[in-house]
Amino acid sequence: MNDSSTSGELADRLRTLLSRLSPGDRLPSSRELIKEYRVGPATVARAIAALAAEGAVVTRPGSGTYVAQRTRHHDEAAADTDWQTVALTDRAVDTHLMAEPLGPPPAGTITMDSGYVHRSLQPTRALSAALARAARRPDAWDRAPAGGVMALRTVFARIVGGSVAPEDVLVTAGGQSALSIAFRAIAGPGSPVLVESPTYPRALAAVRAAGLRPVPVPLDADGLRPDMLADAFAMTGARLLYCQPTYQNPTGTVLTVERRRQILDVARASGAFVVEDDFARHLGHGGPVPRPLVADDRDGAVVHVTSLTKPAAPSLRIGALVARGPVMERMRAVRLVDDFFVTRPLQEAALEVLSSPSWDRHVRSLGTALRERCAVLAAALTQELPGATVTGLPTGGLHLWLRLPPGVDDTVLTAAARQRGVAVSAGSRYFATEPPAAHLRIGFAATADHTELTEGVRRLGAALTDLAPKQG
Ligand SMILES: Cc1ncc(COP(=O)(O)O)c(C=O)c1O
């Protein structure tokens, strides 16, 4: 095998090797594989990542790669499910964008690819107490109102501000569910949807699952570009824009006050809805958090999405849609078709946590912790990956957006980083079409502490060095 051999070929040859080994056996080291198969480190990293993703091997950072224990599924004669390929026809849900591309990380991996905060930053004690109390209420297991528990809708309306009323709020099972409901309610199959570029991959997946077609519109340091937006509406005839004006995922940008007005004006002039994903409202790093677009929306153009999973905990799956007019009727109908209503005890627990004076304290201390972690991460990146560029220090959110040095492939580096024991997200997942440059999204909220954060960056730097002979 020579240097130009693909990682797919190497993975095939390693599968043959695996068939001769027993579960728990150690594979040859990366160095040995490079030598034996005469390939580069990136090819080895990609091949091992593919085998890990299919569950054939497990990698233990600092120790090596081992043959996975065979599951019952592997031992039994495999069922013939080929008929499903014919029955399923076209792909309705983009599994690529929904799944973690490299599978679950091996034990010991430092998590810098998560969209949630570490358990030590979650108000777990308050949540547990609130849920226990909610479960003891006499009406705990009754049906909940389809729009959500009224007191919770009232709190969401108050948080949004402006003239939003509790009746304009629909409680959902988190932000992802809210996005999926909104896209299906607003646009019909085949319609274009304008999206920021880059954007949240699972919003792209929800757009595609609704049969819609994402059309990217560029961002700069001030957020979505209104001039490009006007062109995109004119060219595509789209009636829907999906955007995150505040602490955008992945770039962390905040849409300026001036542009907020312009974007609403452009959308109104195009007769289009704006789905405002305000997932990060409670993730500010201590400065003022801008008003949501919906608070200044006079005529029902904005459909606002919010969620509690980020500032509280991933399993507090409570979010909300805020909108006015017939679009709200449609979204309520979709909600009912999906699953009637959100589990009542969870709504009651969310209500108690949100209404308690300790919630504001929690949000403030979370903001301080995020700001500190963000600074630690940025400093560590500057030191360990001097050729890469942090594209801007965010004032809120959970991630940094890092532009990679020329010639470095983000998916190859992500796979190599896994080998080194750190999980980061490849930037190409965040683009609806061809990425203009290679990036990584690096999270600073899911690690245990600052030490783990800097160790994660050290491992990432080592992974980049591993690739140097191959990628320059
Ligand atoms: C931009 C954005 N919107 C929405 C969500 C959905 O989050 P959840 O469903 O946990 O509320 C996420 C989660 O990562 C996100 O990053």
Side-chain angles (χ1 to χ4, degrees), residues 23-69:
D25 282 354
R26 191 171 179 282
L27 257 66
S29 68
S30 295
R31 194 165 300 161
E32 288 161 339
L33 292 173
I34 290 166
K35 205 161 154 212
E36 182 170 347
Y37 294 98
R38 295 173 55 212
V39 291
T43 305
V44 170
R46 258 195 300 230
I48 297 286
L51 294 174
E54 66 197 44
V57 299
V58 284
T59 56
R60 300 200 188 109
S63 168
T65 303
Y66 295 83
V67 183
Q69 298 297 326

Side-chain angles (χ1 to χ4, degrees), residues 301-318:
V302 180
V303 172
H304 174 90
V305 171
T306 183
S307 171
L308 298 179
T309 63
K310 307 280 176 183
S315 265
L316 185 66
R317 296 216 57 76
I318 295 287

Side-chain angles (χ1 to χ4, degrees), residues 116 174-176 179 200 242 244 249 277 279 307 309-310 317:
Y116 298 99
Q176 188 67 31
L179 290 176
Y200 168 51
Y242 164 70
Q244 305 163 48
N249 176 12
D277 186 348
F279 78 108
S307 171
T309 63
K310 307 280 176 183
R317 296 216 57 76

